[in-house]
Amino acid sequence: MSASYTRPMLPAGTFSGRTIAVTGGGTGLGRSMSEYFSALGANLLICGRRSEVIESAAQEISAATGGQVLGLSCDVRKPEEVEAMFAAGAERFGTLHGLVNNAAGNFICPTERLSYNAFNSVVDIVLKGTYNCTLALGKRWIAGGTPGVVLNISTTYAWTGSGYVVPSAVSKAGALVMVRSLASEWGKYGIRLNAIAPGAFPTEGAWSRLRPPELGPNADPMKRIPLGRHGEHQELSNLAAYLLSDFSAYITGACITIDGGTWLRGAGQFNALEDVTSEQWDDLQAAMKRKRS
Ligand code: COA
């Protein structure tokens, strides 16, 4: 039997009659989450920049789950494309109920090597793309008097910061503050906004960009994960589905970390003592005992 965390969690039909939009839903974690929402009965609107990738993802998800899936090419940096995407989604499915701001762009680079355009490219996708989508759908919900739910895929360095991914860190921090701000401002409209900060969940795109083998063992994330394993896509999908569903109706403005304890391992002042061997501890404790007596 598979471990319980790799099993789908929510009851069948949780999203029946609901439509959920996922930016960047054609690949990676966006694709995994989308497939699960569809399996739970959602109509899906997924978008990505490459039309052939998004269209074949839509067909594959629909074939796997039997659900309705509309795959549209859309560059979230462009408000007019975002508006057109939601208009097409509304035409096909009627009211849209949920949005997952998942589309992202990132690369590792010493900050002083970045051009202004490199910085802008990431900010435009991650921060502006997130507010373009949130604003476009939020306006529709408010005008139509319909409740809605937004989920941002964030990161723990949205609050710790991180070197070598500064444009992404700045953007994710801004997007998280937007979630918290709007959770307060738009609660009166029945709109909830939350975020997830995932740790290491292997995907082809992110891992080849952010952990290239050329970096050597320094990039081995396993060494920094207290729970000693990477995340499974299903456990992230379970959390995402919960936060989009009515089961979490009283949760808004939250950011839930799902990283096996990784960011705390990096934060704790003495956590590097993890590398001290058992024999070294024996010697150390004996020496301290001698000092006390
Ligand atoms: N290091 C330094 N600069 C880089 C870079 C890198 N690894 N990759 C791109 N850039 C710079 C480019 O040189 C360019 O700047 P310039 O015009 O001053 O030379 C700028 O960033 C834009 O690059 P470009 O490839 O034209 O932009 P794009 O809009 O097509 O791509 C990115 C956007 C840069 C975010 C790209 O990595 C991307 O499309 N990623 C999508 C997928 C992704 O990152 N997913 C997230 C996985 S975690």
Coordinates of all heavy atoms in Angstrom, one line a residue, residues 210-292:
L210 N 17.0 25.3 -11.3 CA 17.5 25.8 -10.0 C 18.5 24.8 -9.3 O 19.2 25.2 -8.4 CB 16.3 26.0 -9.0 CG 15.2 26.9 -9.6 CD1 14.0 27.0 -8.7 CD2 15.8 28.3 -10.0
R211 N 18.6 23.6 -9.7 CA 19.5 22.7 -9.1 C 20.3 21.9 -10.2 O 20.2 20.7 -10.3 CB 18.8 21.6 -8.3 CG 17.9 22.2 -7.2 CD 17.3 21.2 -6.4 NE 16.1 21.7 -5.7 CZ 16.1 22.5 -4.7 NH1 17.2 22.9 -4.1 NH2 15.0 22.9 -4.1
P212 N 20.9 22.6 -11.1 CA 21.6 22.0 -12.2 C 22.7 21.1 -11.7 O 23.4 21.4 -10.7 CB 22.2 23.1 -13.0 CG 22.2 24.3 -12.1 CD 21.1 24.1 -11.1
P213 N 23.0 19.9 -12.3 CA 24.0 19.0 -11.8 C 25.4 19.6 -11.7 O 26.2 19.2 -10.9 CB 23.9 17.8 -12.8 CG 23.1 18.3 -13.9 CD 22.3 19.4 -13.5
E214 N 25.6 20.6 -12.5 CA 26.9 21.3 -12.5 C 27.2 21.9 -11.2 O 28.4 22.1 -10.8 CB 27.0 22.4 -13.6 CG 26.9 21.9 -15.0 CD 25.5 21.6 -15.5 OE1 24.5 21.8 -14.7 OE2 25.3 21.1 -16.6
L215 N 26.2 22.1 -10.4 CA 26.4 22.7 -9.0 C 27.1 21.8 -8.1 O 27.6 22.1 -7.0 CB 25.1 23.3 -8.4 CG 24.7 24.7 -8.8 CD1 23.4 25.0 -8.0 CD2 25.7 25.7 -8.5
G216 N 27.0 20.5 -8.4 CA 27.6 19.4 -7.5 C 26.8 19.2 -6.3 O 25.6 19.6 -6.2
P217 N 27.4 18.6 -5.2 CA 26.7 18.2 -4.1 C 26.1 19.4 -3.2 O 25.2 19.2 -2.4 CB 27.7 17.4 -3.2 CG 29.0 17.8 -3.8 CD 28.8 18.2 -5.2
N218 N 26.6 20.6 -3.5 CA 26.1 21.8 -2.7 C 24.6 21.9 -3.0 O 23.9 22.5 -2.2 CB 26.8 23.0 -3.2 CG 28.2 23.0 -2.7 OD1 28.6 22.3 -1.8 ND2 29.1 23.8 -3.4
A219 N 24.2 21.5 -4.2 CA 22.8 21.7 -4.5 C 21.9 20.5 -4.0 O 20.7 20.6 -4.3 CB 22.6 21.8 -6.0
D220 N 22.4 19.6 -3.3 CA 21.6 18.4 -2.9 C 20.7 18.9 -1.8 O 21.1 19.1 -0.6 CB 22.6 17.3 -2.4 CG 21.8 16.1 -2.0 OD1 20.5 16.1 -2.1 OD2 22.4 15.1 -1.5
P221 N 19.4 19.0 -2.1 CA 18.4 19.5 -1.1 C 18.2 18.5 0.0 O 17.8 18.9 1.1 CB 17.2 19.7 -1.9 CG 17.3 18.8 -3.1 CD 18.7 18.6 -3.4
M222 N 18.4 17.2 -0.2 CA 18.1 16.2 0.8 C 18.9 16.5 2.1 O 18.4 16.3 3.2 CB 18.5 14.8 0.4 CG 17.6 14.1 -0.5 SD 15.9 14.5 -0.2 CE 15.3 14.4 -1.9
K223 N 20.1 17.1 2.0 CA 20.9 17.4 3.2 C 20.2 18.4 4.1 O 20.6 18.6 5.2 CB 22.2 17.9 2.8 CG 23.1 16.8 2.1 CD 24.5 17.3 2.0 CE 25.3 16.1 1.5 NZ 26.4 16.5 0.7
R224 N 19.3 19.2 3.5 CA 18.7 20.3 4.3 C 17.3 20.1 4.7 O 16.6 21.0 5.2 CB 18.9 21.6 3.5 CG 20.3 21.9 3.1 CD 20.5 23.2 2.4 NE 19.8 24.3 3.2 CZ 18.9 25.1 2.8 NH1 18.4 24.9 1.6 NH2 18.4 26.0 3.5
I225 N 16.8 18.8 4.5 CA 15.4 18.6 4.8 C 15.3 17.7 6.0 O 15.6 16.5 6.0 CB 14.7 17.9 3.6 CG1 14.9 18.7 2.3 CG2 13.2 17.7 3.9 CD1 14.4 18.0 1.1
P226 N 14.8 18.3 7.2 CA 14.7 17.5 8.4 C 14.0 16.2 8.2 O 14.4 15.1 8.8 CB 14.0 18.4 9.4 CG 14.4 19.8 8.9 CD 14.5 19.7 7.4
L227 N 12.9 16.2 7.4 CA 12.1 14.9 7.3 C 12.8 13.9 6.3 O 12.3 12.8 6.1 CB 10.7 15.2 6.9 CG 9.9 15.9 8.0 CD1 8.4 16.1 7.5 CD2 9.9 15.0 9.3
G228 N 13.9 14.4 5.7 CA 14.8 13.4 4.9 C 14.2 12.9 3.6 O 14.6 11.9 3.1
R229 N 13.2 13.6 3.0 CA 12.7 13.2 1.7 C 12.2 14.4 1.0 O 11.9 15.4 1.7 CB 11.6 12.1 1.9 CG 10.4 12.7 2.6 CD 9.2 11.7 2.5 NE 8.0 12.1 3.2 CZ 7.1 12.9 2.7 NH1 7.2 13.3 1.4 NH2 6.0 13.3 3.4
H230 N 12.0 14.3 -0.3 CA 11.4 15.4 -1.0 C 9.8 15.2 -0.9 O 9.4 14.1 -0.5 CB 11.8 15.5 -2.4 CG 11.6 14.3 -3.3 ND1 10.3 13.8 -3.6 CD2 12.4 13.3 -3.8 CE1 10.4 12.7 -4.3 NE2 11.7 12.4 -4.4
G231 N 9.1 16.2 -1.3 CA 7.6 16.1 -1.3 C 7.1 15.4 -2.5 O 7.7 15.3 -3.5
E232 N 5.9 14.8 -2.3 CA 5.2 14.1 -3.4 C 4.2 15.1 -3.9 O 3.5 15.7 -3.2 CB 4.5 12.8 -2.8 CG 5.5 11.8 -2.3 CD 6.3 11.1 -3.4 OE1 5.8 11.1 -4.6 OE2 7.3 10.5 -3.1
H233 N 4.0 15.1 -5.2 CA 3.1 16.0 -5.8 C 1.7 15.9 -5.3 O 1.0 16.8 -5.1 CB 3.0 15.8 -7.4 CG 4.2 16.4 -8.1 ND1 4.2 16.8 -9.3 CD2 5.5 16.6 -7.6 CE1 5.4 17.3 -9.7 NE2 6.2 17.1 -8.6
Q234 N 1.3 14.6 -4.9 CA -0.1 14.4 -4.4 C -0.3 15.1 -3.1 O -1.4 15.7 -2.8 CB -0.4 12.9 -4.3 CG -1.8 12.6 -3.9 CD -2.9 13.2 -4.9 OE1 -2.8 12.9 -6.1 NE2 -3.9 13.9 -4.4
E235 N 0.7 15.2 -2.3 CA 0.5 15.8 -1.0 C 0.4 17.3 -1.1 O -0.4 18.0 -0.4 CB 1.5 15.4 0.1 CG 3.0 15.6 -0.2 CD 3.9 14.9 0.8 OE1 3.6 14.8 2.0 OE2 4.9 14.4 0.4
L236 N 1.1 17.9 -2.1 CA 0.9 19.3 -2.4 C -0.5 19.5 -3.0 O -1.2 20.5 -2.6 CB 1.9 19.8 -3.4 CG 1.8 21.3 -3.7 CD1 2.3 22.1 -2.5 CD2 2.6 21.6 -4.9
S237 N -0.9 18.6 -3.9 CA -2.2 18.8 -4.5 C -3.3 18.6 -3.5 O -4.4 19.3 -3.5 CB -2.4 17.7 -5.6 OG -1.5 17.8 -6.6
N238 N -3.1 17.7 -2.5 CA -4.1 17.6 -1.4 C -4.3 18.9 -0.7 O -5.4 19.4 -0.4 CB -3.7 16.5 -0.4 CG -3.9 15.1 -1.0 OD1 -4.7 14.9 -1.9 ND2 -3.2 14.1 -0.4
L239 N -3.2 19.6 -0.3 CA -3.3 20.8 0.4 C -3.9 21.9 -0.5 O -4.7 22.7 0.0 CB -1.8 21.2 0.8 CG -1.7 22.5 1.6 CD1 -2.6 22.6 2.9 CD2 -0.3 22.8 1.9
A240 N -3.5 22.0 -1.7 CA -4.0 23.0 -2.6 C -5.5 22.8 -2.8 O -6.3 23.8 -2.7 CB -3.4 22.9 -4.0
A241 N -6.0 21.6 -3.0 CA -7.4 21.3 -3.1 C -8.2 21.7 -1.9 O -9.3 22.3 -1.9 CB -7.6 19.8 -3.5
Y242 N -7.6 21.4 -0.7 CA -8.3 21.7 0.5 C -8.5 23.2 0.6 O -9.5 23.7 1.0 CB -7.4 21.2 1.7 CG -7.8 21.8 3.1 CD1 -9.0 21.4 3.7 CD2 -7.0 22.7 3.7 CE1 -9.4 21.9 4.9 CE2 -7.4 23.2 4.9 CZ -8.6 22.9 5.5 OH -9.0 23.4 6.7
L243 N -7.4 24.0 0.3 CA -7.5 25.4 0.4 C -8.4 26.1 -0.6 O -8.9 27.2 -0.4 CB -6.1 26.1 0.4 CG -5.2 25.8 1.6 CD1 -3.8 26.3 1.4 CD2 -5.8 26.5 2.9
L244 N -8.7 25.4 -1.7 CA -9.6 25.9 -2.7 C -11.0 25.5 -2.4 O -12.0 26.0 -2.9 CB -9.2 25.4 -4.1 CG -8.0 26.0 -4.7 CD1 -7.7 25.2 -6.0 CD2 -8.2 27.4 -5.1
S245 N -11.2 24.5 -1.5 CA -12.5 23.9 -1.3 C -13.2 24.6 -0.1 O -12.6 25.3 0.6 CB -12.3 22.4 -1.0 OG -11.9 22.3 0.4
D246 N -14.5 24.3 0.0 CA -15.3 24.8 1.1 C -14.9 24.3 2.5 O -15.3 24.8 3.5 CB -16.8 24.6 0.9 CG -17.3 25.4 -0.3 OD1 -16.6 26.3 -0.7 OD2 -18.4 25.1 -0.8
F247 N -14.1 23.2 2.4 CA -13.6 22.6 3.7 C -12.7 23.6 4.5 O -12.6 23.6 5.7 CB -12.8 21.3 3.5 CG -13.7 20.2 3.0 CD1 -13.5 19.7 1.8 CD2 -14.6 19.6 3.9 CE1 -14.3 18.7 1.3 CE2 -15.4 18.6 3.4 CZ -15.3 18.1 2.1
S248 N -12.2 24.6 3.7 CA -11.3 25.6 4.4 C -12.0 27.0 4.4 O -11.3 28.0 4.4 CB -10.0 25.7 3.6 OG -10.2 26.2 2.3
A249 N -13.3 26.9 4.5 CA -14.1 28.2 4.3 C -13.8 29.3 5.3 O -14.0 30.4 5.1 CB -15.6 27.8 4.4
Y250 N -13.1 28.9 6.5 CA -12.8 29.9 7.5 C -11.4 30.3 7.5 O -10.9 31.0 8.3 CB -13.2 29.4 8.9 CG -13.5 30.4 9.9 CD1 -14.4 31.5 9.6 CD2 -12.9 30.4 11.2 CE1 -14.6 32.5 10.5 CE2 -13.2 31.4 12.1 CZ -14.0 32.4 11.8 OH -14.3 33.4 12.7
I251 N -10.6 29.8 6.4 CA -9.2 30.2 6.3 C -9.0 31.2 5.2 O -9.4 30.9 4.1 CB -8.4 28.9 6.0 CG1 -8.5 27.8 7.1 CG2 -6.9 29.3 5.9 CD1 -7.8 26.6 6.8
T252 N -8.5 32.3 5.6 CA -8.1 33.3 4.6 C -6.9 34.1 5.1 O -6.7 34.3 6.3 CB -9.3 34.2 4.2 OG1 -8.9 35.0 3.0 CG2 -9.6 35.2 5.3
G253 N -6.0 34.5 4.1 CA -4.8 35.3 4.5 C -3.7 34.4 5.0 O -2.7 34.9 5.5
A254 N -3.9 33.1 4.9 CA -2.9 32.2 5.5 C -1.8 31.8 4.4 O -2.1 31.8 3.2 CB -3.5 30.9 6.0
C255 N -0.6 31.5 4.9 CA 0.4 30.9 4.0 C 0.8 29.6 4.7 O 1.4 29.7 5.8 CB 1.6 31.8 3.8 SG 2.8 31.0 2.7
I256 N 0.6 28.5 4.1 CA 0.9 27.2 4.8 C 2.2 26.6 4.1 O 2.3 26.5 2.9 CB -0.2 26.2 4.6 CG1 -1.4 26.9 5.4 CG2 0.1 24.9 5.3 CD1 -2.7 26.0 5.5
T257 N 3.2 26.4 5.0 CA 4.5 25.8 4.5 C 4.4 24.3 4.4 O 3.9 23.7 5.4 CB 5.6 26.2 5.5 OG1 5.6 27.7 5.6 CG2 6.9 25.7 5.0
I258 N 4.8 23.8 3.3 CA 4.9 22.3 3.2 C 6.3 22.0 2.6 O 6.5 21.9 1.4 CB 3.7 21.8 2.3 CG1 3.8 20.3 2.1 CG2 3.6 22.6 1.0 CD1 2.5 19.7 1.6
D259 N 7.2 21.9 3.5 CA 8.6 21.8 3.1 C 9.5 20.8 3.9 O 10.7 20.8 3.9 CB 9.3 23.2 3.1 CG 9.7 23.6 4.5 OD1 9.1 23.1 5.5 OD2 10.5 24.5 4.6
G260 N 8.8 19.9 4.7 CA 9.5 19.0 5.5 C 10.4 19.6 6.5 O 11.4 19.0 7.0
G261 N 10.2 20.9 6.9 CA 11.0 21.5 7.9 C 12.2 22.3 7.3 O 13.0 22.8 8.1
T262 N 12.3 22.3 6.0 CA 13.6 22.9 5.4 C 13.9 24.3 5.8 O 15.1 24.5 6.2 CB 13.5 22.8 3.9 OG1 13.1 21.5 3.5 CG2 14.8 23.2 3.2
W263 N 13.0 25.2 5.8 CA 13.4 26.6 6.1 C 13.8 26.8 7.5 O 14.7 27.5 7.8 CB 12.3 27.6 5.6 CG 11.2 27.9 6.6 CD1 10.0 27.3 6.7 CD2 11.2 29.0 7.5 NE1 9.2 27.9 7.7 CE2 9.9 28.9 8.2 CE3 12.1 30.0 7.9 CZ2 9.6 29.9 9.2 CZ3 11.7 30.9 8.9 CH2 10.5 30.8 9.5
L264 N 13.2 26.0 8.4 CA 13.6 26.1 9.8 C 15.0 25.5 10.1 O 15.7 26.1 10.9 CB 12.6 25.4 10.7 CG 11.2 26.1 10.8 CD1 10.2 25.2 11.5 CD2 11.3 27.4 11.5
R265 N 15.3 24.5 9.3 CA 16.7 24.0 9.4 C 17.7 25.0 9.1 O 18.7 25.2 9.7 CB 16.8 22.8 8.5 CG 18.2 22.2 8.2 CD 18.9 21.6 9.4 NE 18.2 20.5 10.0 CZ 18.3 19.2 9.6 NH1 19.0 18.9 8.6 NH2 17.7 18.3 10.3
G266 N 17.4 25.8 8.0 CA 18.3 26.9 7.6 C 18.3 28.0 8.6 O 19.3 28.8 8.8
A267 N 17.2 28.2 9.4 CA 17.1 29.4 10.2 C 17.7 29.3 11.6 O 18.2 30.2 12.1 CB 15.6 29.8 10.3
G268 N 17.6 28.1 12.2 CA 18.0 27.9 13.6 C 19.5 28.1 13.7 O 20.3 27.5 13.0
Q269 N 19.9 28.9 14.7 CA 21.3 29.3 14.9 C 22.2 28.1 15.1 O 23.3 28.1 14.6 CB 21.4 30.2 16.1 CG 22.7 30.9 16.2 CD 22.8 31.8 17.4 OE1 21.8 32.0 18.1 NE2 23.9 32.4 17.7
F270 N 21.7 27.0 15.7 CA 22.6 25.9 16.0 C 22.3 24.6 15.2 O 22.8 23.6 15.5 CB 22.5 25.5 17.5 CG 23.0 26.6 18.4 CD1 22.1 27.5 19.0 CD2 24.3 26.7 18.6 CE1 22.6 28.5 19.8 CE2 24.8 27.7 19.4 CZ 24.0 28.6 20.0
N271 N 21.5 24.8 14.2 CA 21.1 23.6 13.4 C 22.2 23.0 12.6 O 22.2 21.8 12.2 CB 19.9 24.0 12.4 CG 18.6 24.1 13.2 OD1 18.5 23.6 14.3 ND2 17.6 24.7 12.6
A272 N 23.3 23.7 12.4 CA 24.5 23.2 11.7 C 25.1 22.1 12.6 O 25.9 21.3 12.0 CB 25.5 24.2 11.4
L273 N 24.8 22.0 13.8 CA 25.3 20.9 14.7 C 24.8 19.5 14.2 O 25.3 18.5 14.7 CB 24.9 21.1 16.2 CG 25.5 22.4 16.8 CD1 24.9 22.5 18.2 CD2 27.0 22.3 16.8
E274 N 23.9 19.5 13.3 CA 23.5 18.3 12.7 C 24.6 17.5 12.1 O 24.6 16.3 12.1 CB 22.5 18.7 11.5 CG 21.9 17.5 10.8 CD 20.9 16.8 11.6 OE1 20.4 17.3 12.6 OE2 20.5 15.7 11.2
D275 N 25.7 18.2 11.7 CA 26.9 17.6 11.1 C 27.8 17.0 12.1 O 28.8 16.3 11.8 CB 27.6 18.6 10.2 CG 26.8 19.0 9.0 OD1 25.9 18.2 8.6 OD2 27.0 20.1 8.5
V276 N 27.6 17.2 13.4 CA 28.5 16.7 14.5 C 28.1 15.2 14.6 O 27.0 14.8 14.7 CB 28.2 17.4 15.8 CG1 29.1 16.8 16.9 CG2 28.6 18.9 15.6
T277 N 29.2 14.3 14.6 CA 28.9 12.9 14.7 C 28.7 12.5 16.1 O 29.0 13.2 17.1 CB 30.1 12.1 14.2 OG1 31.2 12.4 15.1 CG2 30.5 12.5 12.8
S278 N 28.2 11.3 16.3 CA 27.9 10.7 17.6 C 29.2 10.7 18.5 O 29.2 11.0 19.7 CB 27.2 9.4 17.4 OG 26.8 8.9 18.6
E279 N 30.3 10.3 17.8 CA 31.5 10.2 18.5 C 32.0 11.6 19.0 O 32.5 11.7 20.1 CB 32.6 9.5 17.7 CG 32.4 8.1 17.3 CD 31.3 7.9 16.3 OE1 31.0 8.8 15.5 OE2 30.7 6.8 16.4
Q280 N 31.8 12.5 18.1 CA 32.2 13.9 18.5 C 31.4 14.4 19.7 O 31.9 15.1 20.6 CB 32.0 14.9 17.3 CG 33.1 14.7 16.3 CD 32.8 15.5 15.0 OE1 31.7 15.5 14.5 NE2 33.8 16.3 14.6
W281 N 30.1 14.0 19.7 CA 29.2 14.4 20.8 C 29.7 13.7 22.1 O 29.7 14.4 23.2 CB 27.8 14.0 20.6 CG 27.0 15.0 19.8 CD1 26.4 14.8 18.6 CD2 26.7 16.4 20.1 NE1 25.8 15.9 18.1 CE2 25.9 16.9 19.0 CE3 27.0 17.2 21.2 CZ2 25.5 18.3 19.0 CZ3 26.6 18.6 21.2 CH2 25.8 19.1 20.1
D282 N 30.1 12.5 22.0 CA 30.7 11.8 23.2 C 31.9 12.5 23.8 O 31.9 12.8 25.0 CB 31.1 10.4 22.8 CG 30.0 9.4 22.5 OD1 28.8 9.8 22.9 OD2 30.2 8.4 21.9
D283 N 32.8 12.9 22.9 CA 34.0 13.6 23.3 C 33.6 15.0 23.9 O 34.1 15.4 25.0 CB 34.9 13.9 22.1 CG 35.5 12.5 21.6 OD1 35.3 11.5 22.3 OD2 36.0 12.5 20.5
L284 N 32.7 15.7 23.2 CA 32.3 17.0 23.7 C 31.7 16.9 25.1 O 32.0 17.7 26.0 CB 31.3 17.5 22.7 CG 31.1 19.0 22.6 CD1 32.4 19.7 21.9 CD2 29.9 19.3 21.7
Q285 N 30.8 16.0 25.2 CA 30.1 15.9 26.5 C 31.0 15.5 27.6 O 30.9 16.0 28.8 CB 28.9 14.9 26.4 CG 27.8 15.5 25.6 CD 26.5 14.6 25.6 OE1 26.6 13.5 25.1 NE2 25.5 15.1 26.1
A286 N 32.0 14.6 27.3 CA 33.0 14.2 28.3 C 33.8 15.4 28.7 O 34.1 15.7 29.9 CB 33.8 13.1 27.7
A287 N 34.2 16.2 27.7 CA 35.0 17.4 28.0 C 34.2 18.4 28.9 O 34.8 19.0 29.8 CB 35.4 18.0 26.7
M288 N 32.9 18.6 28.5 CA 32.1 19.5 29.3 C 32.0 19.1 30.7 O 32.0 19.8 31.7 CB 30.8 19.8 28.6 CG 30.9 20.6 27.3 SD 29.4 21.3 26.7 CE 28.5 19.9 26.2
K289 N 31.8 17.7 30.9 CA 31.7 17.1 32.2 C 32.9 17.4 33.1 O 32.8 17.8 34.2 CB 31.4 15.6 32.1 CG 30.6 15.1 33.2 CD 30.2 13.6 32.9 CE 29.6 13.0 34.1 NZ 29.3 11.6 33.8
R290 N 34.1 17.2 32.4 CA 35.4 17.4 33.1 C 35.5 18.8 33.6 O 35.9 19.1 34.7 CB 36.5 17.1 32.2 CG 36.9 15.6 32.1 CD 38.3 15.3 31.5 NE 38.4 15.8 30.2 CZ 38.0 15.2 29.1 NH1 37.4 14.0 29.2 NH2 38.2 15.7 27.9
K291 N 35.0 19.8 32.7 CA 35.1 21.2 33.1 C 34.2 21.5 34.3 O 34.5 22.3 35.1 CB 34.6 22.1 31.9 CG 35.8 22.4 30.9 CD 35.3 23.4 29.9 CE 36.3 23.4 28.7 NZ 35.7 23.9 27.5
R292 N 33.0 20.8 34.4 CA 32.1 21.1 35.5 C 32.6 20.6 36.8 O 32.3 21.1 37.8 CB 30.7 20.5 35.1 CG 29.9 21.2 34.1 CD 28.4 20.9 34.2 NE 28.1 19.5 34.1 CZ 27.9 18.9 32.9 NH1 27.9 19.5 31.8 NH2 27.7 17.6 32.9

